[in-house]
Amino acid sequence: MVNRINNKIALITGGARGIGAEIARLFAEEGAEVIISDILDIEGNEHAQAINGHYFHLNVAHEKEWQVCTDKLRNAYGRIDILVNNAGITGFNEDLGPQDPENCSIEAWHSVHQINLDGVFLGCKYAIGLMKEYGGSIVNMSSRSGMVGIPGAAAYASSKAAVRNHSKTVALYCAEQGYKIRCNSIHPGAILTPMWDPMLGNDEITRAQNIAMVASGIPLGTMGEPLDVASAALYLASDESKYVTGIELTIDGGILAGSSASPKKVSNLLVVD
């Protein structure tokens, strides 16, 4: 199957690298007009050029930036058909200090929620306005960590659990209003992206050992790739999922299917995603 989202207008937040970049690449390959947004302007612009897409600077935690982005999209296209709310942080990469429930600072708690949860709320809010005339699909990036407790990543787990629930609220609201807008959440687990770097270590030997350790606790025996998540996002963005709304789609190699869902220590940090 090719051109599964041909001529659809797709905005992907956090699209400069990792899972977001792979979603952008795959969507462009499948015929979409792709707009990447991020705060990593150099990487975002380079990736947008590589896939013949467009780049907008957008800090998803700031409503005024969403308003500017929305005006640009409305003026350029009159609508969007797909929003992937992918932008997110763990708190580890951002040097926000301890992330456990006892020692996490209120500032760190707020910082993680502002990106991961407020950003999704604002994305959904403004996407509804851009989609309600013609319909569309909102795909919210939650996490395995939004479905289980994560002792070493309290703010991250809390924010991703809220994304899961808000996705269902948006799905039901749009259905209730008669808008042909679907909203679903994706829950990746153990996908090898830059978000994992603080947990895996810097030198090649330590990194390889830690990847093997993580993989040993996954039923399918390997960590996932960004394309695994991008393929799920493509399905939810396409008309193939026209009867699918309010679901949570887990992409985790079977972790949540059994006892290996319990968190494991890796390099003195807890596995979060």
Side-chain angles (χ1 to χ4, degrees):
M1 297 177 68
V2 294
N3 295 328
R4 292 164 66 187
I5 47 175
N6 199 38
N7 296 323
K8 291 187 182 290
I9 311 301
L11 173 64
I12 298 149
T13 71
R17 63 184 182 183
I19 289 172
E22 186 64 11
I23 292 171
R25 185 201 64 78
L26 183 60
F27 279 20
E29 187 178 281
E30 291 290 343
E33 182 88 4
V34 174
I35 302 99
I36 292 171
S37 75
D38 212 303
I39 59 172
L40 301 173
D41 295 333
I42 294 174
E43 293 176 63
N45 268 304
E46 288 177 350
H47 190 47
Q49 290 175 16
I51 64 170
N52 294 317
H54 309 277
Y55 176 78
F56 290 169
H57 176 92
L58 174 63
N59 184 327
V60 296
H62 296 164
E63 185 165 18
K64 287 185 179 179
E65 294 195 21
W66 271 107
Q67 291 168 342
V68 170
C69 181
T70 299
D71 288 343
K72 287 181 179 179
L73 292 167
R74 184 173 283 112
N75 290 336
Y77 306 105
R79 72 186 201 282
I80 61 171
D81 304 297
I82 301 161
L83 169 65
V84 181
N85 276 315
N86 172 74
I89 63 173
T90 61
F92 298 139
N93 302 56
E94 296 74 26
D95 296 323
L96 294 176
Q99 295 295 305
D100 62 86
E102 182 179 8
N103 298 296
C104 181
S105 70
I106 191 65
E107 292 79 16
W109 178 268
H110 285 160
S111 293
V112 172
H113 281 82
Q114 282 166 357
I115 300 296
N116 295 0
L117 180 55
D118 295 359
V120 168
F121 162 74
L122 291 168
C124 291
K125 174 179 179 177
Y126 287 100
I128 289 171
L130 286 166
M131 291 180 176
K132 63 184 181 182
E133 184 175 355
Y134 300 104
S137 173
I138 299 172
V139 180
N140 291 330
M141 200 61 63
S142 181
S143 169
R144 175 193 83 94
S145 302
M147 303 177 77
V148 295
I150 305 294
Y156 183 77
S158 168
S159 67
K160 292 299 187 177
V163 168
R164 172 179 177 264
N165 190 270
H166 190 62
S167 300
K168 297 177 187 301
T169 296
V170 171
L172 292 175
Y173 171 80
C174 290
E176 181 181 81
Q177 297 298 312
Y179 303 151
K180 296 192 179 301
I181 301 171
R182 298 177 294 103
C183 184
N184 298 286
S185 60
I186 294 179
H187 298 255
I191 307 298
L192 192 54
T193 69
M195 189 176 281
W196 274 81
D197 288 346
M199 290 170 277
L200 295 176
N202 295 320
D203 66 274
E204 282 189 31
I205 294 175
T206 301
R207 184 178 176 87
Q209 289 173 340
N210 284 332
I211 289 174
M213 187 185 305
V214 174
S216 70
I218 300 171
L220 289 184
T222 183
M223 292 187 73
E225 302 173 353
L227 181 58
D228 297 319
V229 184
S231 298
L234 175 61
Y235 165 68
L236 292 174
S238 75
D239 292 338
E240 296 158 30
S241 59
K242 64 184 176 62
Y243 196 55
V244 178
T245 195
I247 72 157
E248 54 209 45
L249 181 52
T250 303
I251 316 291
D252 71 348
I255 296 172
L256 286 178
S259 60
S260 54
S262 60
K264 291 177 170 56
K265 289 262 189 175
V266 176
S267 297
N268 297 317
L269 289 171
L270 281 165
V271 175
V272 298
D273 212 0

